[in-house]
Amino acid sequence: MRPLPAPPLLLITDRTQAAGGLLAAVTACVEAGCRWVSVREKDLPASEQAALLRALRPLLANVGGTLTIHGDPALASLCDGVHLPDGADIAAIRTTLSPQTLVGASCHDPAGVMAAAKAGADYATLSPIFLTVSKPGYGPALGPSVLSGLPLPTLALGGVEAGNLLACMAAGAAGVAVMGAPMRDPGDMTGLLSVLAATRGRKAGI
């Protein structure tokens, strides 16, 4: 199992919400300290997704960061990993990828996380932990307690913000994944990273 990037905060792109354009929003988030970005623009043709990966890869590489793609394993060779949708054949896809490729899975209940772990995923996202404006009507919210005792490093996703990140980490999340708020206002990334650093420092006894 490959370790999660550090800090374990995954920024998932959404160009429809990006302030000033996707590249500008991601650049601002990386400048604020984000070190893990996943391109999630599934409605774009593969060629345009590939172009985004090529544009973003130097940005992450220059800071020792990690770039992944949501959805298409064929594009994983252009970045550091792939995040697969719920129901994907993780085990079969893993055999087509480089051993160094980071493989994640979208899950919506603990059973899904269990299945992803057995299939060989490196991590999972579990959502929605809270209700989110990025996906109105998507729920019901699972709540932070669902993050306890999971068999795979799991990122809390869905409505995560600086005010509730602590509850997610205290419940057992290995990290968090965010999309809408930092896309709309990259300044939000600073607050998220500050809280995340404080929670991890507390766990380490610093």
Side-chain angles (χ1 to χ4, degrees):
M1 184 182 298
R2 292 141 197 79
L4 291 181
L9 192 161
L10 170 60
L11 173 66
I12 303 170
T13 73
D14 181 357
R15 71 187 188 285
T16 68
Q17 300 189 68
L22 188 148
L23 294 179
V26 173
T27 297
C29 286
V30 170
E31 289 175 348
C34 177
R35 295 295 179 264
W36 185 7
V37 176
S38 192
V39 173
R40 186 188 184 279
E41 307 296 336
K42 297 181 182 181
D43 60 314
L44 291 179
S47 60
E48 293 186 34
Q49 294 183 56
L52 280 174
L53 291 172
R54 292 188 181 100
L56 290 172
R57 191 162 197 181
L59 175 67
L60 273 300
N62 287 342
V63 294
T66 299
L67 179 65
T68 55
I69 180 74
H70 259 61
D72 189 349
L75 296 175
S77 63
L78 298 176
C79 54
D80 304 301
V82 61
H83 187 92
L84 300 171
D86 189 17
D89 190 341
I90 298 168
I93 292 170
R94 173 126 246 173
T95 65
T96 70
L97 302 171
S98 161
Q100 288 74 43
T101 302
L102 185 70
V103 177
S106 290
C107 300
H108 305 294
D109 54 41
V113 178
M114 177 75 73
K118 289 181 178 178
D122 296 308
Y123 73 94
T125 57
L126 185 55
S127 65
I129 300 303
F130 306 103
L131 297 181
T132 171
V133 297
S134 295
K135 291 187 177 182
Y138 181 53
L142 298 171
S145 62
V146 77
L147 295 160
S148 176
L150 297 174
L152 189 66
T154 300
L155 307 179
L157 171 63
V160 177
E161 56 189 31
N164 57 33
L165 190 156
L166 178 60
C168 296
M169 299 300 290
V176 298
V178 295
M179 183 172 65
M183 285 281 99
R184 293 187 295 270
D185 178 8
D188 189 71
M189 183 60 64
T190 302
L192 288 164
L193 287 167
S194 177
V195 175
L196 183 61
T199 63
R200 293 176 68 77
R202 209 170 290 152
K203 286 182 179 181
I206 298 173

